[in-house]
Amino acid sequence: MNPVGQMIISTLALVSLAGAKGTGAAPGEALRGACYTAVAQPLQASGGKITPDVREAYLRWSESEVTRELIAQDEEVSSAVLTEVRQNPVLREAVFGSVYPPDPSILQNYGRLRADLGEKFMERYRSLAVAISVAKRTKGVESQNELKSLGRDYQPEFWQDESLQIPGSEEDKSFVKALAGFMDENHVAAADLYQSQTLQTQLVGYLRDHHFSSDRITEVKTTSGFGERLKYAMVLLHQRPGSREPKPTTEEWLAHLVSIYESSPESTPVADGVQLKWPMFPADTAPWPLLMPLSHPVPISETNYIWEAFQGKHGEDRYHTYGPYRDDDAEMPYELTPSRWHWDAWPDRIQHGGECVPISKGTVDLYSSLVKPAMWAGQPGHANLVSFQSVGGYWLAEVEQAFAGGPDVTFAQWYFDEEPGSELRHRDLYYWAGAEYQLGLALAMDVGLDSYLDTRLATIIYKAMPDNETATLGVSLLRSAIQENPFNPEAWYRLAQATTDPSGSEQLVKAAMNLGNQASLGQLTTGQRPKKLADCLKQYTETLSQFLAHFALLDKVPPDAEAQRREVYQFLKSVPGVHPEDLATYSETVAGADTENGKLDDLGLDQALAGKSDGYGLLRMGERYREGDGVDRNPAKAEEMFLAAIRQNETAAGIEVANCYPWLQADGIRVTASSAFGPDQSPQHLVDGSGLTGILHDNDGAAGTMWHTAEHPSASSPAPELPSSPAWVRFDFPGGARFDTILIWNHNQHGLTDRGFHTARIYGTTDGKNWVKLTAGDSIVLPKAGGEGSSGPIKIRNSSPGSSFSSVVISSDSNYGGTCYGLSAVKFSIYSPDPLIPASQITVSASSHGHDQLPEHLIDGSGMVGPYHYNNQFAFSMWHTAPQLELSSPVNGMPPSPAWVRFDFKKPEKLEEVQVWNINQPGLSMRGFNKTRIYGTTDGSTWFPVTNTETVQLPPATGAPFLESVSVPIYSGDKLIKAVIIAADSAEGNRGGDCYGLSAVKFLPRY
C-alpha cells in the first residue's frame, strides 16, 4: 500500500459501516445489473477491494459489451488491435475500464490512430494516442463517417468563430456593401471611419444619396454595433478573412504537435523571471489522462506562428498568456485594422484583446500549440482555465487567471465526459467538473495511474451495486479505493453520502483535511515539495474538505441530541471553505428539527450555554426567541442574543441578525456620490452587498468592497436645495420607498478608518424638491470603525418612517483625519414588529406551479423586504399555477377550485390574521386571486371557513415595487389550526389571467 493509504487507513476505519446507506445512481438498470453480476463474486471474496481478480472480471465484462455493440452495428476492429489492447495492461484498462458505460468508440479510435500514425509514432506516443482515443469518444459505436473524422471534438461549440457578425437580411447586406463602397471610393480606413465625426458625417450624406432609411443612418456613430458593421465591410474589401482557417484533422494535428515537440527552439522566452524549459510538458512520458486536453486542435498556421513567436521571430512578445484586457468599446479600434488573420485567430486575438472569454480561450490555444495540456474553465461571472504541468518530476494542475475566486468556485472541462447527472460536483452548465477533479487527477498520477483507474473502477462498481450491498460491501470498496489513491473526489463524496453516523462523517472530513499535512508523494516529505506542488495539494485538500463537509454533514439531517449538534457545528467551523452562510443554514436546520421534536433537555442545554456566553448557545437561543421554540416569541430578545453571539465571534449570527433588519434590494436603488477614488471604490458598493456577510462588513485593504471619495475633495451639492459638502452619497428610489431604520457601516478599510464620516447629515425627499432631515438633530456623529474583519452597523431611526421617499442623501463635512471620505455600506431597513409564524414551521403545497414559480416562495421571503413585496418581471419570487388548469377539490368538504395553496403547520396554531400579497408580476396582475375561500382544519379531516364570510375579495396588485399586504382577519377563535387552504373560486377566481397566483402569504398567531 502507498504511504498516502497508510496515513489515512486508520482514520477511515472509524467510519461506521453500520451507519451507512446506499446512494448510488447510474444509467441503465439492466446494464448496471449485468455489470455487478460480472464482478460480484470476486468482489465479495475480496471483502470489497479492487483486486486483480475484480479488475479482470470487470474488464472481461466491459470488453464483451464493447464487442456485442460493435457486432450489433456491423462494425469491427482488427484482431491485431484487439490483441495489442489485451496484451498491454495500461492500454486495456484505458479502453475497457476508464469510463462507464463501456464505450466502443474508444477502441475504434485507437485502431484508427494506430493504422494512420504508424508503429514508430505509437512506440513513443502511445500514451498520447490513448488520450486522444478517450477524449474523442462518441459514447457508442462510430459509423464509418464518424470514424473518418476520428470521433468528435469535445465541446466544439466553444471554439467556433464568434468575432464576426454575418449580415442576415438583404437590407443588412446592402448596408454593409454601402459601407464598403464608401470606404473604397474615398480611400477611408475602417478605424478612421469608426472614430472620426467628420468622416461619419460624409458617410451619412453618402447613405442618404443611396436612399438608405433613417434607421440605418442612425447606426453611424462610434459604437461597437457600428464597428461590427465595419468589420464585415473589411471582409468585403479583402482587408480581413471572413473565417478562421480550418482546423486540422486529428491525425494532422497529432503529427504537427509531435513535429513541434521534437524540435529544438533556437531559444526560449523568459516568463515571470524564469527561463522556460523545452519541452514545456513531457508529452511522450506523461500518463495518458493528463494528455487528453491536447485533443483540442488549433489551425496549423496559428500553431506555426505561436512556435515562431516562442523563438523570438515575431518580436519581443514571445509567450503571450494574457490580455490585453479591453471591453467591447475599447477593443473595437484595434479590431478595425487590416490583417491577414481572422479576429478569432490567436495572432490577432493577442493584438485586439478583449474580456475574459476570448483571453482565456487564447491561452488554451497557446498552450495546446506548445504541447501543454489545458482546459477551459469558468468562475462566477468569469472565464479562465486550468493547466496540467510537470514540476520537479511531479504532476500538478494550476487554476490560472483565477480573478473571481479559487478552486471552490471554479469548474473546468472534464475530458472523461461522464454521463450528465451521474456525477457529484459537476455543474449543470456544460456539465463541467469542480476544479478539485482536475487538481486531483494530476496529483493522482503522482501516486500512480493504475491506482487512480482503480478508484474510478470502484465508483463504477459502487453505483452498479444493489442498494442492499452499498451500505456494507460498497462502503468497504470506497474506503479501500481512497486508501490506495486519495485523489479522486468522487470516491470521497460517495463515501460521505453513504456515512450516516455523525462521528464517522467528522472523521472522514478530518482525513481529507489532513491530506496536505501528512500525505507523502513518492520520497518527498512535506517540507521538500516544490512550491507549485504544495500549492496544488493545498488547493485540492481544502476544496475537497469544503464540499466533503457538505456531503457528509451540512446536507444531512442534524443529529437528534443538541450536544452532538453543537459538536458538529464547532467542527464545521474548522473546515476550510465552510462559510458563515453554511453555518447559519445548518443552525437553521437544527432550529427546525428541534422545534418539531420539542425537547426540553435541548432547551436547557442552550440556555445553560448562553448563560456562559457560549457562541453556539447564544445563536440557538436567538433562533428560539425568533421561532417561539420552547420560549415565547420575542424578536427583540432574538436580536439581543444574536448580537451577543457576534461579540463571541460567531459569524453565523451575523447572517441571522441580518434577518431582523430586512432591507431594500439594491436593484431598486440608484446611487451617486460627490466623487469616487476609482472604479473599484464605486458608490454602488454601499448597497450591492459587497463585503457584507450578513450584518458584518469586511476590512478590505484596497477598499474594493466600499466607497470613498477622491483625495482632498472639493465641496459640491447633492441637490440645489441642500448645502454643499466635500462628501455625500445620494440614494434614489424610482418607485419610492418606506423605511424606518437606516443602517450605516462606517469606512472600515484596514489601516485607513480615518476616512470614515465623523459628523453626518441625513436628508430625504418625497417629491425631489422639498428635503427634510431624517434624524432628530441637525447632524449625527458616526463612530469610527475599528478596522477589524467583521464590523457591524450603526442603527439610525428614521424620524419620518411613514413617508415614501424618492431620494435620501447622507453628507459629511468632517472625517477622522483622512485625505478621503468614505463609508462601507448603507442599508434601508423595514422593521416588522409582528411575530409572524416562521417559514421553518410551515410546509406548503399547491394545485400546480410554474417551472420557477414555486409555492415555497409564498413563505420563504422571496421578493420580500419587511412588509413589502417586489415586482419581479418573471414572477421568480412568487407562485403561480401552470397554464393548463382543471377544477379539483383541495380536500373533502371544499368546492372545486382551479388554483389553491395549502399551508400545514408543524404544530397547531391559534390564528389572528392571514396577510396576503396578491401576485405582483408587472403587466400580469390579472393572474392574482380575486374571489377567494380560506379554510382551516383542527384535525386534518374536517375543514371549515376561517373567515366571517364564505368568500373574501382580494384586491389586485399594482405591479409596482413595494406592494403592501391585505390583512384578512381569522374568525376561528381559540381553535388550534393544523392547516389552512387558500383557494380561488371556480367562476371568479382571478381577473382573466391564464394562470392564478399570489406573491406571499404570512400568518399572524393569536396570543
Side-chain angles (χ1 to χ4, degrees):
M1 180 179 295
N2 68 67
V4 176
Q6 294 172 347
M7 182 277 297
I8 63 176
I9 188 169
S10 59
T11 305
L12 292 179
L14 296 174
V15 178
S16 169
L17 292 178
K21 64 179 180 180
T23 54
E29 290 298 324
L31 193 65
R32 284 176 55 190
C35 171
Y36 189 66
T37 299
V39 301
Q41 185 175 352
L43 182 67
Q44 291 164 359
S46 73
K49 295 181 180 179
I50 300 294
T51 62
D53 287 344
V54 173
R55 188 182 306 111
E56 178 64 24
Y58 180 83
L59 294 176
R60 282 181 180 273
W61 170 78
S62 177
E63 181 180 340
S64 71
E65 282 296 310
V66 166
T67 303
R68 181 186 61 78
E69 290 189 46
L70 287 169
I71 293 173
Q73 297 295 322
D74 201 25
E75 297 288 344
E76 62 181 6
V77 174
S78 72
S79 59
V81 171
L82 275 174
T83 299
E84 180 185 335
V85 170
R86 289 167 179 161
Q87 291 177 349
N88 185 317
V90 173
L91 180 55
R92 185 186 182 208
E93 195 157 5
V95 171
F96 297 125
S98 62
V99 300
Y100 180 89
D103 190 345
S105 67
I106 298 175
L107 180 63
Q108 291 179 289
N109 288 343
Y110 182 77
R112 174 67 187 270
L113 286 175
R114 182 179 182 272
D116 289 355
L117 296 176
E119 185 59 31
K120 183 178 179 181
F121 179 97
M122 300 303 285
E123 284 180 4
R124 183 173 179 183
Y125 297 104
R126 182 168 280 106
S127 187
L128 178 59
V130 170
I132 304 305
S133 300
V134 177
K136 291 179 68 68
R137 70 191 186 97
T138 60
K139 300 184 179 182
V141 176
E142 291 176 6
S143 67
Q144 287 301 312
N145 284 335
E146 289 175 318
L147 201 52
K148 286 179 183 178
S149 59
L150 202 84
R152 58 94 177 97
D153 287 340
Y154 172 64
Q155 298 187 331
E157 62 273 16
F158 293 127
W159 308 99
Q160 295 174 352
D161 295 349
E162 57 186 9
S163 292
L164 181 65
Q165 295 181 7
I166 310 298
S169 67
E170 290 302 317
E171 186 179 3
D172 286 344
K173 293 175 183 177
S174 297
F175 181 59
V176 174
K177 285 181 182 178
L179 297 181
F182 175 81
M183 292 164 60
D184 186 44
E185 293 172 23
N186 294 278
H187 306 289
V188 171
D192 293 338
L193 181 54
Y194 178 73
Q195 298 177 91
S196 169
Q197 291 287 336
T198 300
L199 290 175
Q200 289 176 15
T201 300
Q202 295 175 17
L203 172 61
V204 167
Y206 179 89
L207 293 172
R208 284 178 177 151
D209 291 344
H210 286 74
H211 311 294
F212 278 90
S213 68
S214 58
D215 288 343
R216 293 301 178 191
I217 291 174
T218 56
E219 288 189 34
V220 180
K221 51 190 172 185
T222 306
T223 63
S224 57
F226 181 53
E228 292 296 336
R229 300 288 199 190
L230 293 174
K231 284 166 62 176
Y232 200 80
M234 294 176 69
V235 173
L236 297 180
L237 294 170
H238 306 291
Q239 297 175 3
R240 286 271 190 167
S243 63
R244 199 176 181 185
E245 290 187 20
K247 293 176 181 176
T249 67
T250 301
E251 292 88 347
E252 290 170 344
W253 173 242
L254 291 179
H256 192 71
L257 274 189
V258 165
S259 70
I260 289 178
Y261 182 78
E262 294 179 350
S263 299
S264 297
E266 297 175 7
S267 64
T268 61
V270 174
D272 298 325
V274 177
Q275 190 87 32
L276 294 181
K277 65 178 183 178
W278 186 261
M280 298 183 68
F281 190 83
D284 52 348
T285 60
W288 67 262
L290 301 186
L291 297 171
M292 288 195 289
L294 291 180
S295 62
H296 168 64
V298 179
I300 297 297
S301 60
E302 295 178 36
T303 300
N304 286 335
Y305 185 95
I306 289 170
W307 177 235
E308 292 166 2
F310 186 79
Q311 299 176 84
K313 296 180 180 180
H314 294 290
E316 295 181 359
D317 191 8
R318 299 176 60 176
Y319 187 64
H320 191 107
T321 60
Y322 185 79
Y325 187 90
R326 299 185 176 112
D327 63 19
D328 290 346
D329 290 336
E331 179 185 353
M332 186 56 69
Y334 298 91
E335 291 192 297
L336 295 176
T337 57
S339 172
R340 73 182 181 95
W341 299 105
H342 185 265
W343 291 273
D344 283 319
W346 188 86
D348 196 68
R349 184 173 273 163
I350 68 171
Q351 299 298 322
H352 62 70
E355 296 183 335
C356 57
V357 169
I359 287 176
S360 55
K361 285 183 178 180
T363 309
V364 173
D365 282 350
L366 168 73
Y367 286 170
S368 196
S369 298
L370 295 174
V371 205
K372 178 180 177 179
M375 297 139 287
W376 202 34
Q379 298 179 323
H382 177 62
N384 63 317
L385 68 148
V386 177
S387 65
F388 291 137
Q389 302 173 23
S390 174
V391 176
Y394 285 81
W395 311 109
L396 59 91
E398 182 178 359
V399 180
E400 300 191 35
Q401 300 178 15
F403 304 132
D408 61 323
V409 297
T410 303
F411 291 83
Q413 292 180 313
W414 184 241
Y415 277 83
F416 283 106
D417 197 15
E418 325 286 5
E419 292 298 313
S422 67
E423 300 304 304
L424 303 175
R425 275 278 295 157
H426 283 52
R427 75 178 187 184
D428 292 337
L429 185 62
Y430 315 138
Y431 207 58
W432 287 359
E436 68 269 27
Y437 280 84
Q438 290 82 11
L439 296 168
L441 178 59
L443 294 168
M445 298 302 103
D446 293 316
V447 178
L449 171 60
D450 291 344
S451 61
Y452 174 74
L453 291 177
D454 279 351
T455 68
R456 289 184 61 82
L457 182 55
T459 60
I460 288 171
I461 294 173
Y462 177 81
K463 289 181 287 187
M465 276 183 176
D467 288 344
N468 62 356
E469 293 192 33
T470 54
T472 51
L473 195 64
V475 168
S476 295
L477 177 63
L478 295 173
R479 286 171 57 204
S480 66
I482 291 171
Q483 289 157 11
E484 286 302 314
N485 195 321
F487 295 112
N488 181 349
E490 184 187 2
W492 289 91
Y493 295 156
R494 298 284 177 196
L495 184 56
Q497 285 186 327
T499 306
T500 57
D501 171 52
S503 177
S505 296
E506 280 191 36
Q507 294 301 326
L508 185 63
V509 179
K510 284 179 181 177
M513 291 168 63
N514 288 330
L515 276 176
N517 297 325
Q518 301 180 35
S520 175
L521 302 176
Q523 301 302 312
L524 282 186
T525 65
T526 301
Q528 294 174 325
R529 294 171 186 152
K531 184 180 185 304
K532 275 199 167 186
L533 178 64
D535 290 345
C536 178
L537 182 59
K538 181 174 184 289
Q539 289 183 333
Y540 171 78
T541 298
E542 291 185 350
T543 309
L544 174 70
S545 301
Q546 175 181 345
F547 293 104
L548 196 63
H550 279 268
F551 287 115
L553 295 165
L554 285 164
D555 295 345
K556 294 180 179 176
V557 176
D560 287 337
E562 182 75 333
Q564 195 171 19
R565 295 170 186 167
R566 180 178 180 274
E567 179 185 332
V568 171
Y569 180 89
Q570 295 298 119
F571 169 70
L572 287 169
K573 289 167 65 175
S574 71
V575 179
V578 172
H579 303 294
E581 292 87 349
D582 300 320
L583 296 170
T585 299
Y586 181 81
S587 184
E588 289 277 4
T589 306
V590 169
D594 211 38
T595 302
E596 193 169 5
N597 295 334
K599 291 185 176 180
L600 293 178
D601 54 343
D602 289 350
L603 172 60
L605 177 60
D606 290 339
Q607 289 173 326
L609 290 170
K612 297 176 182 177
S613 296
D614 176 86
Y616 178 81
L618 292 165
L619 174 64
R620 289 289 295 113
M621 287 309 300
E623 291 167 338
R624 287 182 180 277
Y625 280 115
R626 184 189 62 205
E627 310 284 339
D629 175 12
V631 295
D632 290 339
R633 285 194 186 99
N634 189 330
K637 191 70 174 177
E639 179 184 348
E640 176 187 329
M641 290 291 173
F642 288 140
L643 293 174
I646 289 173
R647 290 192 288 271
Q648 299 302 318
N649 298 315
E650 201 61 67
T651 53
I655 307 293
E656 298 282 29
V657 78
N659 295 329
C660 298
Y661 301 100
W663 46 59
L664 304 183
Q665 296 181 5
D667 58 7
I669 307 174
R670 184 166 56 88
V671 190
T672 52
S674 51
S675 66
F677 187 83
D680 291 337
Q681 295 77 32
S682 165
Q684 197 64 32
H685 289 332
L686 296 177
V687 298
D688 67 8
S690 297
L692 277 174
T693 300
I695 206 166
L696 303 176
H697 205 286
D698 69 10
N699 60 344
D700 185 75
T705 58
M706 311 170 199
W707 160 77
H708 68 71
T709 66
E711 290 193 287
H712 308 292
S714 300
S716 62
S717 176
E721 301 81 9
L722 295 177
S724 297
S725 64
W728 53 262
V729 280
R730 174 171 172 158
F731 307 87
D732 292 298
F733 310 98
R738 293 184 179 90
F739 53 88
D740 50 33
T741 304
I742 303 174
L743 304 176
I744 299 178
W745 288 257
N746 215 340
H747 196 70
N748 199 41
Q749 185 178 3
H750 181 68
L752 290 169
T753 56
D754 57 359
R755 294 176 168 178
F757 282 22
H758 181 211
T759 58
R761 296 187 297 270
I762 305 177
Y763 303 93
T765 180
T766 59
D767 58 7
K769 298 178 180 178
N770 299 297
W771 294 81
V772 296
K773 293 184 176 67
L774 302 186
T775 53
D778 288 341
S779 63
I780 58 171
V781 174
L782 299 182
K784 184 180 179 182
E788 66 277 3
S790 298
S791 177
I794 302 99
K795 292 189 295 184
I796 300 163
R797 292 293 181 185
N798 178 8
S799 60
S800 303
S803 301
S804 179
F805 290 98
S806 60
S807 302
V808 168
V809 166
I810 304 175
S811 64
S812 178
D813 291 322
S814 66
N815 61 15
Y816 285 88
T819 57
C820 304
Y821 293 70
L823 297 171
S824 292
V826 177
K827 297 291 185 181
F828 299 89
S829 173
I830 306 157
Y831 182 70
S832 179
D834 295 332
L836 302 169
I837 298 174
S840 61
Q841 303 306 302
I842 307 172
T843 56
V844 60
S845 55
S847 51
S848 68
H849 61 80
H851 184 270
D852 295 301
Q853 297 75 26
L854 306 177
E856 288 79 8
H857 293 165
L858 297 176
I859 62 171
D860 66 7
S862 297
M864 295 292 299
V865 178
Y868 304 111
H869 201 285
Y870 269 74
N871 57 343
N872 183 272
Q873 179 181 357
F874 303 103
F876 288 158
S877 58
M878 311 170 200
W879 161 76
H880 68 62
T881 62
Q884 291 78 30
L885 299 171
E886 295 181 3
L887 289 176
S888 64
S889 180
V891 291
N892 290 332
M894 283 191 72
S897 168
W900 52 264
V901 279
R902 173 171 171 164
F903 305 88
D904 288 273
F905 305 115
K906 287 188 176 180
K907 62 180 183 179
E909 299 276 0
K910 298 177 183 179
L911 298 180
E912 181 72 25
E913 69 179 30
V914 57
Q915 299 172 359
V916 181
W917 290 257
N918 222 332
I919 195 164
N920 198 33
Q921 190 175 2
L924 291 169
S925 60
M926 73 285 290
R927 293 176 168 178
F929 277 29
N930 180 27
K931 191 175 181 181
T932 304
R933 289 178 173 83
I934 304 179
Y935 275 49
T937 181
T938 58
D939 58 8
S941 300
T942 304
W943 293 80
F944 51 87
V946 293
T947 52
N948 64 344
T949 56
E950 172 65 19
T951 61
V952 293
Q953 199 91 7
L954 298 181
T958 62
F962 308 115
L963 174 71
E964 296 186 77
S965 67
V966 174
S967 294
V968 180
I970 299 299
Y971 292 88
S972 58
D974 289 332
K975 292 178 181 177
L976 289 169
I977 304 297
K978 292 184 66 174
V980 168
I981 290 176
I982 302 177
D985 183 70
S986 59
E988 303 174 56
N990 69 8
R991 293 172 172 80
D994 57 340
C995 302
Y996 293 69
L998 299 169
S999 289
V1001 176
K1002 304 288 184 183
F1003 296 93
L1004 180 66
R1006 173 177 294 183
Y1007 294 102

